[in-house]
Each structure stands twice: as C-alpha cells, then as structure tokens.
Amino acid sequence: MDRAPDGGAGPLSRRDTPPRLRRRLGLFDAVVVGLGAMLGAGVFAALAPAARAAGSGLLSGLALAAAVAYCNAMSSARLAAVHPASGGAYVYGRERLGPFWGHLAGWAFVSGKTASCAAMALTVGSYAWPAHAHAVAVAAVVAVTAVNHTGVRKSAWFTRAVVALVLAVLAALVTAVLTSEGVRAQRLAPGPDFTVTGTLQAAGLLFFAFAGYARIATLGEEVRDPARVLPRAVPLALGITLAVYAAVAVAALSVLGGEGLAHAAAPLTRAARTAGVPGLEQAVRAGAVVAALGALLTLLLGVSRTVLAMARDRHLPHALAAVHPRFRVPHRAGLAVGAVVAVAAATADVRGAIGFSSFGVLVYYAIANAAAWTLTSAGAAYRRVLAGCGLAGCLALAFALPGSSLLSGAAVLAAGAAVFAVRRLRHRPA
C-alpha cells in the first residue's frame, strides 16, 4: 500500500491509472478561487437571513462562524497537503476513516453545494432581472458551465477579474456608508433581541458564506506544489474574506440596524441608498450579479471535482470519471452537475437553499475534522485541538439550524447512506 507523507495510508495503486488533471494553479490563483466562492455567497446572500436569526447579535454570529471556519480551514489545509487529489473531504474521509465516511462526506458536499449553486444562480437573477429571476438563473448556470468546460486556468482568470471588481465595489460601499450621516454606532451593540440560540443559528447560516475555501482543497489535483501552496492559500483566503465580511456587516448594521438588515430584500443596495451617493446603488447591484457569477463558477468547479473523485471509485456512475482529452477537465461530471443545478435554479427558493446547503457543508467539514484528527506529525497536539474544536463546532452549528433544514438535510444523508449500503451488498463476494 502506498503511504501518504504524513504517515497515513494513501490511495491504493491500480492497474489502470485514471487520467489525471493538469497542475496549473499557483498560490495567487488558489487564493482567488477561494475568494470568488466566499465573497459572492456571503456578502450578497447570507447577511439578511443571519440578521433575521440573530438580530443585533449578527456580529457575534459572524465571529463564531469565522472561528469554526478557521479550525476547518487548518484541518482541510493539512489534509489537502497529505492527499493532494480532487475530491476534498470525500478523499480525506475515505483514506483516513474508511469508505463509508468518505462516501457520506462526498454525498453531503455534492448535495449541499448543489443547493449553493442554485442559490448563487438565483441571486444573479434576483439582482439582474427580478421579474424573471428563475429564467436568468438557468441561463447563468448554462453560461458558467460552458466556461468551466474550457479549462480551470481560464476559469481562474475569470474569477480573478470578478474578485477585483467585487472588492472595489464593496470598498466603495463601506467607505460611503461609514462616512454618511445615517451611521449610529449604538446599532452595533447587542440589544434585547440578542439570544444564544439566535447567534448559533446565524453562525450556521453564515458558515454557508465561509465554505468557499473548500474549493481550494477540492482543486488539489490542479495546484502546483500542493504541499506548500494549499496550507498557505486556505487560511489566507479565509482571513481576507473575514476582513471584508466584518467591514460590510459593520457598515450595514450601523445604518440599518439589526431589524432593518433582517427585513431588507437587498440589504446592501438599501445601505447604499441610505448613504446617498449617486450611482452607488446601481454599482452595488452590478457587483452583486458579478460576485454571484464568480461564486457560481467556483462552486461548480468544486462540485464537479468531487463528482469526478466519487465516480472514479464508482460511488457514482463511472462514466462521470472521464477527463476531456484536450482541456483536461472532468467534462462529463461538469455537464451533469450543471444540468442538476439548472433544474434546481428553475424551482428552488434562495433562503431555503442556504439552510439546506449549510447543513450539508457542516456535515462535510465535521468528517474532514475527524479525518484530520488521525494525522500524526510535528505539532500534532495543537492541531488535534483545532480538529476537535472544528468537529464540535460543526455539529453544534448544524443542529442549531432551522428545523426544515435539519429534516431535509438528514433525509438526504440517510438516502446517501442507503445508496452506500446497497452498493456494498451488490458487490459483496458470493
């Protein structure tokens, strides 16, 4: 059996080695891929539902979500360096904990992130053409799937442009809002609506926004020198995103308050309108569309790579394991994921998709932290504390989510476990 650099068991050698993806991404591109996923998801989609749960405790929920995300990020970075193959926690769970846990992680990731893709596509439609949001969402999925089909390097260049534009728009928004006459510092302090339960639920919803760094790990097979790049790229992308979220949340709360933020259909455009700067509201709307497109692009990248890994191991139809001979991308997996997301975008609701996605992603990272617990290396005691805190945090936030998210998420995981059991029975030796 091959051994992983950290002393664990690596993937079993096979007579027929599957075609590998091309390593093209450096540190900067890896960080940009993570930023593209996180910025679009969090700033424009998750702040209002989180404010509805936590009220004036929104900033506390944001800090808690960031703390859990940091633990998960460090565990993911270590695992990605040891197992630099596409698939993320699906690979880590399989190699460190066993086939069932890898399968469950992959199932949670694919189902949860499919919902995330639908939420991002619907965000594009809601900002670009509210009267025809679903039709625009489906068109966005088709267009982004086509971009991903041409290769990850072109996708990274597109994401780089998206991140630059979104950061510029958000910087203008924060500056304009914090220098406006409507700012009230007392709106940032926790009020009578602050509760521990609401803060936990807000943290669970906001975790949806931080989960973009998983895109870096799932692209491990396409990153140059993954043992060096991945442990740097993951916390760097997370730190930049946290700083942006904190600045935007402070700006929005200071002019809208917890109640106003919770009931705003488009909270950042409302904050821009309050600032009274000509043209800023239109710029924020355009930034929302671009950010959501960037998030959709990187989300589809990550989901298709996990589908590729599961198909290679026949946890999904093996035909999805094909790699395009010219572009060296998992074209069949990408097209299949795009088709499913298009259907979801035509029928789903944004807020429900966020809750469902959060549950799946938290389960995914719980398994990743459990896998990281098994790693043995220098400084293992400190890293095990991080993995343990990440595992406990993921489970706490998952069970604090709204009841509908818990029930639907648990049902999907049960279906995944049933699929695994049936597969094992079918392949049991006579």
Side-chain angles (χ1 to χ4, degrees):
M1 178 180 293
D2 298 335
R3 305 299 294 178
D6 203 60
L12 292 173
S13 60
R14 296 175 180 172
R15 183 175 301 173
D16 298 321
T17 303
R20 314 305 293 178
L21 304 178
R22 189 173 297 170
R23 296 191 182 277
R24 297 177 172 179
L25 304 182
L27 175 62
F28 184 77
D29 284 330
V31 170
V32 168
V33 166
L35 289 177
M38 288 186 279
L39 290 178
V43 173
F44 297 103
L47 281 180
R52 192 173 297 115
S56 58
L58 174 64
L59 294 180
S60 298
L62 178 64
L64 179 57
V68 175
Y70 175 76
C71 294
N72 297 345
M74 300 313 295
S75 293
S76 297
R78 290 183 67 205
L79 289 161
V82 175
H83 303 285
S86 288
Y90 164 70
V91 174
Y92 314 148
R94 181 193 66 198
E95 297 300 323
R96 315 300 309 192
L97 304 174
F100 172 75
W101 295 106
H103 172 87
L104 196 64
W107 192 271
F109 180 86
V110 170
S111 59
K113 284 305 166 183
T114 297
S116 295
C117 291
M120 288 300 95
L122 286 167
T123 300
V124 174
S126 297
Y127 278 88
W129 197 358
H132 300 279
H134 288 283
V136 174
V138 172
V141 173
V142 173
V144 170
T145 299
V147 171
N148 282 342
H149 187 79
T150 62
V152 69
R153 184 65 182 177
K154 293 179 182 178
S155 298
W157 275 102
F158 176 78
T159 305
R160 182 181 298 183
V162 168
V163 168
L165 177 60
V166 171
L167 287 176
V169 169
L170 292 178
L173 172 67
V174 170
T175 301
V177 169
L178 292 181
T179 56
S180 68
E181 297 180 355
V183 171
R184 299 291 183 271
Q186 58 268 31
R187 291 173 176 151
L188 302 177
D193 59 346
F194 175 85
T195 63
V196 173
T197 301
T199 299
L200 285 172
Q201 189 172 118
L205 293 169
L206 285 169
F207 187 83
F208 158 85
F210 281 108
Y213 57 79
R215 306 297 78 68
I216 303 173
T218 55
L219 294 173
E221 194 175 314
E222 293 157 276
V223 172
R224 297 191 302 268
D225 193 7
R228 182 185 66 86
V229 169
L230 292 174
R232 298 180 182 181
V234 171
L236 183 57
L238 179 63
I240 294 172
T241 301
L242 174 60
V244 173
Y245 284 179
V248 173
V250 166
L253 279 173
S254 65
V255 294
L256 300 179
E259 188 72 14
L261 181 59
H263 293 92
L268 297 193
T269 56
R270 183 173 175 182
R273 191 181 311 123
T274 303
V277 177
L280 182 59
E281 183 178 349
Q282 290 71 25
V284 170
R285 287 188 180 278
V289 172
V290 173
L293 281 173
L296 178 61
L297 185 147
T298 52
L299 285 166
L300 286 172
L301 273 175
V303 176
S304 64
R305 270 58 180 180
T306 300
V307 170
L308 168 70
M310 296 181 74
R312 282 173 172 172
D313 292 334
R314 301 183 185 276
H315 287 286
L316 290 174
H318 191 61
L320 298 177
V323 174
H324 195 280
R326 177 185 175 188
F327 297 117
R328 308 304 295 172
V329 296
H331 58 297
R332 291 182 183 173
L335 292 174
V337 171
V340 173
V341 172
V343 172
T347 57
D349 170 75
V350 175
R351 293 172 183 173
I354 289 177
F356 179 86
S357 173
S358 294
F359 183 86
V361 173
L362 286 164
V363 170
Y364 171 87
Y365 278 112
I367 295 173
N369 280 297
W373 181 271
T374 68
L375 295 174
T376 56
S377 62
Y382 167 72
R383 292 169 176 174
R384 277 195 167 187
V385 170
L386 288 179
C389 290
L391 175 59
C394 285
L395 294 178
L397 297 188
F399 284 101
L401 289 169
S404 59
S405 299
L406 279 175
L407 291 175
S408 58
V412 170
L413 287 184
V419 168
F420 180 86
V422 170
R423 178 179 176 274
R424 291 296 291 264
L425 287 173
R426 290 180 59 186
H427 291 86
R428 179 179 295 175

